[in-house]
Amino acid sequence: MKNVNMVSIDLGTKNLIIKVNDQIVYDQPSIIVFDTESGQVFIGEEALHMRDKTPASKIVREPLANGVISDVNALIALLTEIFVNIVQVNNKKSWKKGFWKNSVVLVAIPSKIYRLDEDVLKESLRGRHVPRIPLFSEKFNRYEYFTNIMSAKKIVIMPAVKLATIGAGVSIWDSQGVFLLDIGAGTSDCSIIATGDIIIQDSITVAGNAIDNDIKKYLEEMHYISITREQAENIKIEVGLNIEGREDAAKEIDKQITIYGKSLKTGNPTKIILEKTEIQKIIIEAIEPIVDLAKSIILRSDASFARIIQENGLILTGGSALLKNIDVYLSQRLNLEKVLIAPEPKHAVIKGTEIFEMYKNDLYDKEYIRPSR
């Protein structure tokens, strides 16, 4: 029996996660910065800290946006840099010579990714596509040097929603059906999956990032204060959704939030204190399209799924599923008895690859498997 190595990749708008066999080796923001003077490249958290404060000599790229690959060359460069780091860190362990010889890569792709991008992605993972970054590649041959860092033999592309459902601990192979809403950073995907196939699916480009942008825009227009995207996200997390009649809402002592930023009137650092309910109204308005998305899937579903939807409810995955009280809010808006947040919803997709690791030899040989559970 072959000693097959399996690499799982979750191409998230906000975070890119890579797992080698049973170990997560990379889980950082999907961002890369190129220094056109020194030739240095920064990725992940380090690159994120540079995003809003980069000089002209640094090029910032976020290769995934709204459920599509917005910059395929930047994505290939990012993957290359990640694998360079992995090889350097694990050189004497699993990443010895011959690692890729019997390897299979399972890539979870967003719902709206284009077939052309899929093909380029496959070629890149096989080491056949050298990324070209304008103003950087003309001066530095970095990626020509690293062309052999990725040389996967077999590549399997799979919709992220399928893997998210499996990662939530639910079987997608029985005929009953699963009602899933994956709220990520760039897109919200809602689907019904049964017998291993996506029966109905739709997605919108309203998710965590859109909520953050709405909060940021509101503060600029109504309170003349500018904040960063990271601050907007932190405000969203702290405030959450207020559900009338819930005990935890009534007991909450701190009903205000202090926001620090830059005054758009004076240009000086400033702070404002707002009622949390003011921000909660913005969040509710921002997620209304997500509610409509879930409603539309219910309306389009066949009558045979009605009982399952009502009895088993909706499963939430994705980082934005952690928004406080979103499960209760969606339960009320969709008139469902159950809305369940998956364990570790942010990592549901990468967790969904675990079952395939059990059959990785079959995955390598056939490039497709249908586990029995």
Side-chain angles (χ1 to χ4, degrees), residues 10-24:
D10 176 13
L11 296 176
T13 298
K14 186 172 182 181
N15 271 46
L16 196 151
I17 306 175
I18 295 179
K19 189 172 167 188
V20 177
N21 295 323
D22 60 352
Q23 182 183 3
I24 292 178

Side-chain angles (χ1 to χ4, degrees), residues 10 14-17 27-29 45 182-183 233 316-322 341-351:
D10 176 13
K14 186 172 182 181
N15 271 46
L16 196 151
I17 306 175
D27 182 2
Q28 293 195 42
E45 294 288 352
D182 182 73
I183 312 174
E233 182 183 18
L316 295 179
T317 60
S320 297
L322 295 170
I341 299 174
E344 298 183 66
K346 181 181 172 183
H347 290 101
V349 171
I350 208 71
K351 279 176 66 66

Side-chain angles (χ1 to χ4, degrees), residues 118-138:
E118 279 189 39
D119 294 339
V120 173
L121 187 59
K122 284 182 177 181
E123 289 298 291
S124 304
L125 290 168
R126 292 186 176 111
R128 299 172 186 167
H129 182 87
V130 178
R132 302 292 301 172
I133 309 300
L135 303 179
F136 181 84
S137 296
E138 289 87 342

Side-chain angles (χ1 to χ4, degrees), residues 47-267:
L48 184 66
H49 293 315
M50 299 179 179
R51 181 173 61 187
D52 298 319
K53 30 182 131 54
T54 53
S57 62
K58 287 186 171 66
I59 303 168
V60 181
R61 291 288 183 268
E62 294 178 75
L64 295 145
N66 300 330
V68 298
I69 299 175
S70 56
D71 189 334
V72 69
N73 280 287
L75 176 61
I76 303 312
L78 177 56
L79 287 170
T80 302
E81 297 292 342
I82 292 170
F83 281 107
V84 167
N85 290 346
I86 291 171
V87 171
Q88 289 173 345
V89 170
N90 299 280
N91 193 37
K92 294 182 180 180
K93 298 178 183 178
S94 60
W95 289 80
K96 54 190 175 182
K97 186 177 180 180
F99 175 89
W100 291 106
K101 184 178 179 181
N102 294 320
S103 62
V104 58
V105 180
L106 177 59
V107 186
I109 60 167
S111 59
K112 292 187 175 180
I113 201 167
Y114 298 110
R115 181 59 185 269
L116 179 62
D117 290 338
E118 279 189 39
D119 294 339
V120 173
L121 187 59
K122 284 182 177 181
E123 289 298 291
S124 304
L125 290 168
R126 292 186 176 111
R128 299 172 186 167
H129 182 87
V130 178
R132 302 292 301 172
I133 309 300
L135 303 179
F136 181 84
S137 296
E138 289 87 342
K139 296 173 66 176
F140 305 99
N141 296 323
R142 183 177 181 86
Y143 297 112
E144 283 81 352
Y145 178 75
F146 287 129
T147 51
N148 64 341
I149 204 70
M150 296 184 293
S151 54
K153 295 300 178 185
K154 300 289 180 70
I155 299 165
V156 178
I157 303 288
M158 186 169 291
V161 290
K162 279 190 180 184
L163 291 168
T165 307
I166 299 168
V170 182
S171 172
I172 66 171
W173 288 280
D174 60 42
S175 59
Q176 282 194 330
V178 181
F179 185 28
L180 179 91
L181 175 59
D182 182 73
I183 312 174
T187 60
S188 294
D189 287 271
C190 195
S191 57
I192 292 177
I193 301 174
T195 62
D197 293 315
I198 298 171
I199 308 301
I200 308 172
Q201 179 187 14
D202 203 353
S203 67
I204 55 174
T205 56
V206 176
N209 286 351
I211 300 170
D212 300 341
N213 290 336
D214 283 359
I215 292 172
K216 190 175 185 299
K217 183 179 178 183
Y218 175 82
L219 292 173
E220 289 172 352
E221 293 181 349
M222 301 305 295
H223 295 282
Y224 306 103
I225 183 172
S226 176
I227 62 172
T228 65
R229 281 193 273 175
E230 285 72 31
Q231 283 178 286
E233 182 183 18
N234 291 334
I235 291 167
K236 174 185 70 180
I237 292 169
E238 181 179 343
V239 169
L241 291 166
N242 180 45
I243 307 298
E244 292 184 12
R246 274 181 70 96
E247 290 185 12
D248 56 351
K251 291 179 180 177
E252 188 172 4
I253 298 173
D254 191 358
K255 297 183 181 294
Q256 295 181 322
I257 183 170
T258 302
I259 299 171
Y260 296 87
K262 179 179 180 179
S263 171
L264 294 177
K265 290 182 177 179
T266 67

